């Protein structure tokens, strides 16, 4: 049964005298709870400051869930199914799964763009090569962050938004490689 969904922008752990109690101070967020007698409808409470006390002796630790970035892919898929059962959009978890797959292919993207650049640059300009490499990496991660954010907001499909930096980087690398081979 789904009890609460809590979103917050920042929070703090407040020290407690009792070691079995955790006190949390959440700032600028919202709390979604099901309406009484209607478990599939929610009402939302927006807050500036919200305090939560978790009593570890009462077994409340089971209700503390992992963030999407801490879950394995199989855990994230199970959570997506669970959220869909309650008509909650699991877009952030879908983006997270896609991001993990995309980052494993980032090496190929960097090789495809790095190979023609390494062939083109002269041996004496090592600092220029370092600068170009740094610019490409920064560009890649800015596009990844932007694409992920736009995918999470629903502007792009999750796969497209997250794969965008690989598409751009691999495309640029293939174009540069084609130009070098053509000569």
């Amino acid at each position: 049964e789904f009890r609460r969904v809590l979103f917050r922008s920042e929070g703090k752990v407040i020290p407690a005298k009792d070691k079995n109690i955790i006190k949390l101070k959440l700032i600028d967020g919202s709390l979604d709870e099901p309406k009484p007698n209607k478990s599939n409808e929610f009402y939302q409470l927006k807050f500036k400051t919200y305090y939560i006390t978790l009593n570890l002796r009462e077994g409340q630790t089971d209700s503390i869930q992992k963030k999407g970035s801490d879950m394995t892919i199989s855990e994230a898929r199970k959570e997506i199914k669970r959220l869909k059962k309650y008509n909650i959009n699991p877009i952030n978890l879908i983006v997270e799964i896609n991001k993990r797959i995309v980052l494993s292919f980032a090496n190929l993207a960097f090789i495809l763009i790095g190979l023609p650049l390494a062939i083109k640059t002269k041996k004496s300009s090592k600092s220029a090569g370092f600068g170009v490499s740094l610019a490409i990496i920064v560009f890649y991660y800015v596009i990844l962050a932007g694409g992920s954010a736009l995918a999470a907001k629903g502007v792009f499909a999750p796969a497209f938004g997250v794969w965008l930096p690989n598409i751009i980087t691999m495309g640029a690398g293939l174009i540069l490689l084609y130009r070098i081979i053509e000569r």
Side-chain angles (χ1 to χ4, degrees):
E1 182 177 309
F2 213 74
R3 292 197 178 114
R4 274 185 193 172
V5 180
L6 183 65
F7 300 98
R8 49 90 182 113
S9 62
E10 66 178 276
K12 297 177 184 177
V13 176
I14 301 170
K17 292 177 185 175
D18 186 351
K19 292 182 181 178
N20 292 314
I21 291 179
I22 297 174
K23 292 186 178 185
L24 303 174
K25 177 182 178 184
L26 305 176
I27 302 164
D28 291 330
S30 66
L31 176 68
D32 295 340
E33 290 190 358
K35 290 182 178 179
N37 304 322
K38 294 182 180 180
S39 62
N40 60 344
E41 292 183 29
F42 288 80
Y43 66 88
Q44 185 177 62
L45 167 72
K46 294 189 181 225
F47 59 84
K48 290 287 181 192
T49 305
Y50 188 78
Y51 293 92
I52 296 178
T53 302
L54 301 175
N55 188 341
L56 302 180
R57 271 184 250 149
E58 294 176 7
Q60 288 184 347
T61 54
D62 293 341
S63 65
I64 299 173
Q65 295 181 355
K66 293 181 179 180
K67 295 187 303 184
S69 58
D70 296 334
M71 292 180 185
T72 64
I73 290 178
S74 62
E75 288 174 335
R77 286 186 176 143
K78 286 178 188 174
E79 184 67 12
I80 288 169
K81 285 180 185 175
R82 190 177 77 80
L83 290 174
K84 284 183 177 180
K85 206 165 69 172
Y86 292 104
N87 295 323
I88 297 173
N89 188 357
I91 191 77
N92 290 331
L93 287 174
I94 296 169
V95 168
E96 183 64 36
I97 290 172
N98 278 292
K99 195 184 298 185
R100 289 183 188 185
I101 295 167
V102 163
L103 288 174
S104 64
F105 284 94
N107 295 329
L108 179 61
F110 289 136
I111 288 170
L112 278 176
I113 199 160
L115 185 65
L117 290 175
I119 292 171
K120 248 184 167 179
T121 57
K122 298 174 183 165
K123 291 180 183 179
S124 61
S125 61
K126 289 182 182 178
S127 60
F130 177 76
V132 169
S133 299
L134 188 61
I136 290 170
I137 290 169
V138 168
F139 173 78
Y140 180 90
Y141 283 103
V142 165
I143 298 297
L144 179 64
S148 298
L150 290 173
K153 290 189 182 239
V155 175
F156 292 145
F160 178 75
V162 177
W163 278 92
L164 192 59
N166 279 3
I167 293 168
I168 292 171
T169 307
M170 287 179 175
L174 289 172
I175 290 169
L176 289 173
L177 196 59
Y178 176 75
R179 286 185 180 174
I180 288 174
I181 293 172
E182 192 178 69
R183 287 184 186 181

